[in-house]
Amino acid sequence: MTYSSKTKQQVSQITEKLIVALDVESAEMAHTVIDELQGVIGTYKIGLQLFTSAGPGFVRELAESGVKIFLDLKFHDIPSTVAKAAVEAARLGVWMLNMHALGGSEMMKTAAGDVREACVKDNLAVPKIIGVTVLTSSNERALNEIGIERKVEDQVLDLARLTAKCGLDGVVASALEIAPIRNAIGRSDFLIVSPGIRPDFATNNDQKRVMTPEAALKAGSDYLVIGRPVIDAPNRLSAVESILADMEAVSE
Ligand code: C5P
């Protein structure tokens, strides 16, 4: 079955797993991308570049228009600062937010607890709270450079275990680490969000640990985050359709 012959429900189950990273320099450019992918993509990741340029008002406006937003600001600071920032992110109406698991258990627990409490108190939807393990742009050498003398996978697994212990909803991790994470963590509802996804037509850019969309889903990833292969494509809609077709191959 080709992507275009799927039912609407099948299509939405596939597209919901694809998060396009809006790694662009302005609100105007972000709107151009969203318009081009209108009706196909409903979830976008807003990271440091766009948040710094377009600000929280833009995030709120987009969330109010019905777009699901993964606010990827990778908080990492003292527990109370991260907790307060995460509560403000929840108030913007984002669907998912994240923090570095390297910030430790006190930071993660305080932030998750405060966000959930604030959402109940103010009647807000509780965002999914995700821990970042090891960036997909890092390899063993990059870890060694900052004094972490161990294998990437061991570091990822320990951080994933800590994240689960702190009651977060899941982790951001390379698709290459999904199987060991699933083995290490008994929770079937533990989400794995995978960047570093490269369709066959794209280059790796600075990502060092990459997988194709189909392989990442087969490995058990819940959400795929894809930026440059879509954003830099000459025809973004065609790029997304080709990625969705690749993802679709999993259910055939
Ligand atoms: O362009 P590309 O597909 O490599 O974009 C991946 C996106 O995912 C970027 O916005 C990057 O900041 C983000 N990300 C990542 N690795 C993580 C967490 C987030 O690449 N561990």
Side-chain angles (χ1 to χ4, degrees):
M1 212 184 320
T2 61
Y3 174 69
S4 53
S5 67
K6 294 279 159 193
T7 65
K8 265 190 176 165
Q9 198 193 357
Q10 284 169 315
V11 168
S12 84
Q13 277 168 358
I14 304 159
T15 58
E16 269 175 22
K17 287 178 171 280
L18 179 57
I19 303 174
V20 171
L22 277 176
D23 291 334
V24 294
E25 64 187 36
S26 65
E28 195 190 342
M29 285 180 73
H31 279 300
T32 302
V33 174
I34 294 168
D35 287 348
E36 284 174 18
L37 304 179
Q38 186 74 39
V40 182
I41 294 296
T43 313
Y44 288 95
K45 184 176 84 65
I46 294 181
L48 292 168
Q49 182 188 15
L50 186 58
F51 187 79
T52 306
S53 121
F58 170 74
V59 176
R60 180 180 286 114
E61 184 193 304
L62 214 55
E64 282 172 357
S65 75
V67 170
K68 276 163 76 180
I69 296 168
F70 169 17
L71 190 64
D72 176 27
L73 298 184
K74 301 186 183 71
F75 297 132
H76 188 171
D77 208 316
I78 59 171
S80 84
T81 300
V82 168
K84 285 174 188 159
V87 167
E88 295 311 327
R91 290 201 173 114
L92 293 176
V94 304
W95 160 77
M96 180 180 273
L97 61 91
N98 64 359
M99 60 195 64
H100 271 287
L102 265 181
S105 63
E106 194 189 334
M107 185 199 84
M108 286 193 276
K109 276 188 197 160
T110 310
D114 286 8
V115 165
R116 288 167 187 155
E117 201 183 300
C119 289
V120 170
K121 193 166 151 261
D122 298 345
N123 201 22
L124 303 165
V126 184
K128 296 186 191 311
I129 306 172
I130 303 291
V132 177
T133 56
V134 177
L135 297 176
T136 39
S137 56
S138 296
N139 54 16
E140 199 169 321
R141 216 175 99 205
L143 288 189
N144 292 348
E145 235 175 39
I146 54 166
I148 301 172
E149 305 277 344
R150 61 198 307 217
K151 289 202 165 106
V152 172
E153 188 180 312
D154 294 338
Q155 179 73 0
V156 167
L157 285 185
D158 275 355
L159 291 173
R161 280 193 199 96
L162 189 67
T163 304
K165 211 171 119 194
C166 293
L168 267 60
D169 297 295
V171 282
V172 180
S174 155
L176 295 165
E177 283 120 24
I178 292 168
I181 291 175
R182 292 269 179 237
N183 283 337
I185 291 158
R187 271 171 53 191
S188 60
D189 64 342
F190 197 68
L191 300 173
I192 302 183
V193 180
S194 305
I197 303 296
R198 285 296 176 269
D200 287 336
F201 65 79
T203 61
N204 282 3
N205 308 109
D206 57 352
Q207 297 287 17
K208 297 196 173 66
R209 291 175 292 128
V210 300
M211 244 194 203
T212 65
E214 181 188 357
L217 284 189
K218 271 193 183 141
S221 185
D222 294 292
Y223 296 103
L224 309 184
V225 174
I226 306 189
R228 287 162 290 185
V230 172
I231 299 299
D232 298 344
N235 182 331
R236 296 186 181 117
L237 184 58
S238 301
V240 161
E241 281 172 345
S242 149
I243 291 165
L244 290 171
D246 195 38
M247 290 167 72
E248 176 52 30
V250 177
S251 57
E252 284 175 347

